[in-house]
């Protein structure tokens, strides 16, 4: 059925190491998992360098987090208004050895005790991917370890299974600065793609709107991502103050578009700047309202696409009634208001909502290690140290089997779940905190 280049005057000696290292004392273990096919517990090291964070995680196949290291480049790229690939590559190369060593040290393990090395090979910035793949290959070659190539988005989708009981198949929404998609996860290596973005990802749109609003000139906003800054400012704003147009209202599918949201917000910002005679680094007095209105329209767009995806899955019996779960991951999944809105949709359809903690929603080595562990258990996609030359990286890669045409053909109409109460200033806090 389902058939620019940017000039940069920053010298790398100016980049003081900024390590974000955590070892969670609470170790996660799946008592519900029954891996009868392999009674031995194996240890997998994962390396993530798909974009601007250098991450390493070590997990066991019984669901325990053993160690982790992370170097964040966020504060460097924030200064330039976006990620600069050559800078990202240089910082990855400078810090990857320390990050891996930190993860090993925190786990009290030696590399000889690691059973396999997982590494992100697609999709991502090619210059960044190359650093991680090359490093992982060297480890595997030197210590005679098997390599497990990982699809970055598959790793995001499966991270929750390290923490909670979420059985296949389930619905997943991946929303970040680089991706936006909905898929059915049938197994470790089988996905059905129901929808994806035509243009910008939601995190990208939020970042660009935040920069245009000059929110980083406000006290307390320094060093934050654009999405986090908008979320914080939106708490004091009126979501109905500016009626940003919702994209793709007449398309009965599950695809996304966030470029229109970005352009609509930009037009309101220009009008407001003229109204208040804003100059230079001045910030609009209506910045909170603009942030709230932006967050609201993005949440609405995500929720309506999810509604249709749930309806499509019901129509085609893709997810059994006893396994109706929605997993939401990626950096934007950390947004409390968006989580609360998605929770309300799930509640209306009888779905359970599962969201990893914020530190596992953003790019990290733990999710790569866990995806490697899942593949190790299933014996899927493991490459011996003698066949490392066959592994390469890809800047662009689709997720699973694309059945978006089937979704559009179904032309499903939905009665939209109202979300206004989630975003009301006085009631949103309690709803958001109590929903997931």
């Amino acid at each position: 059925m389902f058939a620019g280049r940017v000039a940069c005057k920053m010298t790398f000696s100016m980049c003081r190491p900024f390590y974000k290292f955590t070892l969670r004392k609470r170790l996660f273990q799946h008592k519900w998992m029954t891996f009868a096919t392999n009674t031995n517990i194996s240890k997998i090291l994962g390396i993530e360098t798909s974009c601007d964070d250098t991450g390493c995680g070590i997990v066991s196949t019984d669901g325990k987090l053993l160690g982790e290291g992370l170097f964040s480049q966020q504060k460097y790229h924030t200064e330039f208004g976006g990620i600069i690939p050559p800078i990202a590559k240089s910082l990855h190369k400078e810090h990857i050895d320390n990050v891996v060593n930190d993860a090993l040290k925190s786990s009290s393990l030696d590399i000889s005790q690691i059973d396999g090395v997982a590494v992100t090979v697609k999709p991502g910035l090619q210059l960044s991917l190359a650093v991680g793949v090359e490093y992982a290959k060297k480890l595997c070659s030197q210590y005679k370890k098997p390599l497990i190539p990982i699809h970055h988005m598959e790793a995001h989708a499966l991270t929750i299974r390290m923490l909670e009981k979420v059985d296949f198949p389930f619905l997943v929404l991946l929303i970040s600065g680089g991706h936006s998609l909905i898929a059915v996860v049938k197994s470790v290596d089988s996905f059905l793609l129901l929808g994806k973005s035509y243009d910008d990802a939601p995190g990208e749109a939020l970042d660009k709107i935040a920069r245009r609003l000059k929110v980083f000139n406000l006290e307390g906003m320094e060093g934050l991502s654009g999405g986090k800054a908008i979320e914080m400012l939106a708490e004091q704003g009126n979501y109905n103050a500016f009626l940003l147009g919702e994209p793709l209202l007449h398309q009965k599918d599950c695809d996304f578009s966030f470029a229109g949201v970005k352009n609509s917000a930009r037009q309101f910002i220009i009008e407001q700047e003229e109204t208040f005679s804003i100059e230079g680094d001045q910030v609009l007095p209506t910045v909170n309202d603009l942030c709230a209105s932006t967050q609201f329209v993005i949440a609405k767009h995500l929720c309506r696409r999810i509604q249709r995806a749930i309806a499509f899955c019901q129509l085609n019996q893709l997810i059994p009634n006893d396994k109706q779960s929605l997993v939401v991951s990626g950096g934007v999944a950390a947004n409390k208001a968006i989580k609360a809105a998605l929770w309300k949709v799930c509640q209306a359809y009888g779905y359970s909502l599962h969201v990893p903690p914020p530190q596992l929603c953003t790019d990290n080595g733990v999710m790569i290690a866990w995806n490697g562990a899942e593949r190790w258990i299933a014996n899927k996609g493991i490459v011996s140290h003698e066949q490392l030359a066959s592994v390469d990286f890809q800047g662009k890669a689709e997720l699973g089997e694309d059945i978006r045409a089937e979704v559009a053909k179904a032309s499903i109409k939905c009665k939209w779940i109202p979300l206004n109460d989630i975003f009301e200033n006085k009631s949103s806090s309690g709803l958001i905190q109590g929903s997931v």
Side-chain angles (χ1 to χ4, degrees):
M1 173 184 177
F2 299 126
R5 300 177 61 181
V6 179
C8 174
K9 296 182 179 179
M10 181 180 73
T11 61
F12 293 110
S13 61
M14 295 168 60
C15 298
R16 297 181 180 177
F18 173 62
Y19 285 99
K20 181 183 177 184
F21 166 72
T22 57
L23 174 61
R24 298 170 181 84
K25 293 182 179 179
R26 178 184 175 188
L27 300 179
F28 303 101
Q29 184 173 12
H30 283 309
K31 294 181 180 179
W32 58 272
M33 283 189 171
T34 55
F35 299 138
T37 56
N38 184 0
T39 56
N40 294 324
I41 297 173
S42 300
K43 303 174 185 67
I44 306 299
L45 182 148
I47 296 172
E48 158 62 16
T49 64
S50 67
C51 193
D52 62 330
D53 285 339
T54 314
C56 181
I58 302 173
V59 305
S60 58
T61 49
D62 64 343
K64 289 182 180 179
L65 170 61
L66 304 178
E68 182 184 4
L70 180 68
F71 170 73
S72 174
Q73 301 181 14
Q74 179 176 303
K75 70 174 184 179
Y76 304 126
H77 297 290
T78 298
E79 297 174 9
F80 298 98
I83 296 169
I84 313 300
I87 295 177
K89 175 184 177 181
S90 181
L91 291 172
H92 280 310
K93 292 188 73 171
E94 182 180 350
H95 297 290
I96 189 169
D97 198 51
N98 287 334
V99 168
V100 173
N101 286 333
D102 279 348
L104 287 167
K105 182 178 179 181
S106 67
S107 68
S108 299
L109 293 172
D110 183 83
I111 188 66
S112 63
Q113 297 172 282
I114 298 297
D115 295 288
V117 176
V119 63
T120 306
V121 299
K122 60 184 177 183
L125 300 176
Q126 294 202 48
L127 291 176
S128 294
L129 287 168
V131 176
V133 173
E134 179 183 355
Y135 190 92
K137 282 185 176 182
K138 285 183 178 179
L139 278 182
C140 292
S141 178
Q142 182 177 353
Y143 295 97
K144 304 295 187 287
K145 303 294 182 182
L147 183 70
I148 312 169
I150 300 297
H151 190 300
H152 182 82
M153 303 312 291
E154 291 181 6
H156 270 305
L158 296 181
T159 301
I160 194 66
R161 282 170 47 85
M162 182 179 163
L163 310 174
E164 299 179 25
K165 186 182 187 302
V166 181
D167 295 323
F168 299 122
F170 60 86
L171 191 64
V172 67
L173 171 66
L174 301 180
I175 42 178
S176 67
H179 303 279
S180 182
L181 57 87
I182 304 174
V184 175
V185 186
K186 297 175 66 178
S187 68
V188 171
D189 63 345
S190 180
F191 293 72
L192 298 176
L193 182 65
L194 305 184
K196 67 176 185 178
S197 180
Y198 287 118
D199 38 60
D200 295 347
E204 179 185 2
L206 286 167
D207 285 343
K208 289 179 178 177
I209 293 170
R211 288 198 297 273
R212 185 62 184 81
L213 282 167
K214 297 176 283 190
V215 299
F216 301 113
N217 294 337
L218 295 171
E219 184 178 356
M221 298 294 113
E222 306 90 346
L224 296 179
S225 67
K228 183 59 179 177
I230 284 181
E231 179 184 3
M232 292 174 65
L233 293 170
E235 291 178 0
Q236 304 301 320
N238 177 4
Y239 74 98
N240 267 327
F242 298 94
L243 301 179
L244 278 69
E246 184 185 342
L248 307 182
L249 280 175
H250 302 294
Q251 291 187 210
K252 295 181 178 62
D253 55 29
C254 291
D255 288 325
F256 303 95
S257 173
F258 295 96
V261 174
K262 180 183 65 180
N263 293 332
S264 180
R266 179 177 175 274
Q267 189 58 45
F268 276 117
I269 293 169
I270 291 172
E271 292 175 1
Q272 288 290 288
E273 287 178 339
E274 292 176 352
T275 298
F276 290 98
S277 301
I278 297 296
E279 297 180 356
D281 292 337
Q282 290 179 318
V283 178
L284 283 166
T286 52
V287 64
N288 292 342
D289 291 342
L290 281 161
C291 287
S293 299
T294 296
Q295 185 172 257
F296 179 60
V297 73
I298 287 177
K300 259 200 313 185
H301 188 42
L302 291 171
C303 286
R304 291 181 176 180
R305 271 20 207 178
I306 280 295
Q307 274 196 249
R308 186 170 286 117
I310 290 173
F312 180 80
C313 288
Q314 290 176 339
L315 181 66
N316 293 280
Q317 299 181 328
L318 294 179
I319 299 178
N321 291 337
D322 61 343
K323 295 183 179 180
Q324 293 183 331
S325 298
L326 171 65
V327 171
V328 185
S329 192
V332 179
N335 183 294
K336 293 179 182 179
I338 290 175
K339 278 194 291 187
L342 290 167
W343 170 79
K344 187 172 183 182
V345 171
C346 286
Q347 191 178 45
Y349 282 87
Y351 267 62
S352 59
L353 177 63
H354 306 267
V355 185
Q359 64 269 31
L360 293 183
C361 281
T362 53
D363 295 350
N364 61 87
V366 176
M367 72 178 193
I368 305 304
W370 177 248
N371 191 252
E374 292 246 38
R375 285 182 167 272
W376 184 272
I377 294 161
N379 195 25
K380 301 259 188 185
I382 302 172
V383 180
S384 74
H385 70 272
E386 298 170 337
Q387 298 176 310
L388 296 175
S390 65
V391 178
D392 202 357
F393 55 88
Q394 296 175 242
K396 295 182 179 181
E398 296 295 334
L399 177 70
E401 178 187 355
D402 189 339
I403 61 168
R404 292 180 301 139
E406 294 289 341
V407 178
K409 184 178 179 180
S411 191
I412 297 171
K413 295 181 179 180
C414 296
K415 182 178 180 180
W416 304 128
I417 304 298
L419 303 174
N420 299 65
D421 57 340
I422 297 293
F423 293 87
E424 292 289 347
N425 289 337
K426 293 183 179 180
S427 63
S428 62
S429 179
L431 282 165
I432 291 168
Q433 292 176 6
S435 61
V436 288

